[in-house]
Amino acid sequence: MNHISTKRQSIFMAARCAFPYTIPIFAGFWFLGMTYGIYMNVSGFSFVYPMIMSLIIFGGSLEFVAVKMLMSAYAPVQTLIMTLMIQARHLFYGISMLDRFKGMGLKKFYLIFGMCDESFSINYSAEIPENVDKGWFMFFVTLFNHMYWFTGATIGGILGSLLSFNTEGLDFVMTAMFVVIFMEQWLKEKQHYTALAGLGISAACLLLFGADSFMIPTMVCIICVLTVFRRPIEKAGDIK
């Protein structure tokens, strides 16, 4: 009984320690999550869709893009490639966390599944007290962030059916979100080679392939260019 009590206390302590780190994520995830849920609803989907998708996909930008995918013609190969391109950064997150996830037992599978930009940032950089179980700390950081997004998307999906004002143009939120992400990255960079390369390649592919087919060629070209020129860009201080 003492062992069980000690374990429960250790888990509770880890949850209590992890929660304050996730408070700043809460507001952002709830706002974006509810926006996503409303967007899904006004696009013709019931709240069940954002509820389930936020629970099992848990990829903000991908979930916004998935709305258009669901409304487009059936194209499994294109969907697979698009998904891999959008979420490819998680490959590098995973490699960075290999050592930290060692010895985590079954928690490791959820930590891998639930890894997002914000959870990675906290779990990678947080100074966890010595008396707090690191595995449970990272588990609760991931769980809290996941639940913020899940509840926000679900509430947004429910509220979307109750809104009486004109929601025309709400789908622009996805464009706005990517613009904000781009601007944040632009401000963080000392040089702007990667941003300018992305803009140039996107414009070229848009002209070559058209608005309906330029996304995948753009992502492939960007990955190729950044891979080939990675070292000179790193020396210029544009990739950390």
Side-chain angles (χ1 to χ4, degrees), residues 65-225:
V65 174
V67 180
K68 292 295 184 183
M69 292 180 181
L70 290 171
M71 298 172 67
S72 303
Y74 180 65
V77 176
Q78 184 177 0
T79 300
L80 174 62
I81 296 173
M82 178 76 76
T83 301
L84 290 175
M85 293 295 180
I86 293 174
Q87 300 297 94
R89 67 188 184 281
H90 290 272
L91 293 172
F92 302 99
Y93 292 167
I95 292 172
S96 301
M97 298 298 288
L98 282 176
D99 290 335
R100 294 173 184 263
F101 286 170
K102 285 183 178 179
M104 296 296 178
L106 294 176
K107 293 190 293 292
K108 177 173 67 176
F109 296 102
Y110 179 69
L111 290 171
I112 293 171
F113 162 76
M115 186 185 296
C116 63
D117 299 7
E118 293 76 11
S119 296
F120 167 79
S121 178
I122 295 172
N123 287 334
Y124 189 80
S125 60
E127 295 183 2
I128 306 172
E130 293 184 1
N131 62 330
V132 174
D133 186 286
K134 293 182 179 180
W136 282 112
F137 174 89
M138 291 191 287
F139 174 86
F140 281 112
V141 166
T142 305
L143 179 64
F144 287 147
N145 289 339
H146 191 180
M147 290 301 102
Y148 298 154
W149 180 259
F150 166 70
T151 54
T154 302
I155 293 171
I158 295 172
L159 290 178
S161 60
L162 304 176
L163 295 176
S164 57
F165 62 85
N166 187 4
T167 56
E168 184 178 356
L170 185 64
D171 55 347
F172 184 73
V173 69
M174 185 175 71
T175 303
M177 181 183 68
F178 283 116
V179 170
V180 171
I181 292 172
F182 174 81
M183 292 305 299
E184 287 182 348
Q185 189 63 34
W186 177 278
L187 293 173
K188 288 179 182 178
E189 293 174 343
K190 294 180 180 180
Q191 305 294 331
H192 303 295
Y193 299 131
T194 54
L196 293 173
L199 290 174
I201 293 170
S202 298
C205 289
L206 178 62
L207 293 173
L208 288 173
F209 299 99
D212 295 330
S213 306
F214 83 102
M215 185 64 71
I216 291 178
T218 297
M219 291 183 173
V220 171
C221 290
I222 288 174
I223 289 175
C224 291
V225 168

Side-chain angles (χ1 to χ4, degrees), residues 36 48-59 62-63 87 110 113-114 146-147 149-150:
Y36 164 66
V48 176
Y49 281 83
M51 181 179 70
I52 295 178
M53 289 171 65
S54 63
L55 190 63
I56 64 176
I57 297 178
F58 190 39
L62 176 59
E63 289 180 52
Q87 300 297 94
Y110 179 69
F113 162 76
H146 191 180
M147 290 301 102
W149 180 259
F150 166 70

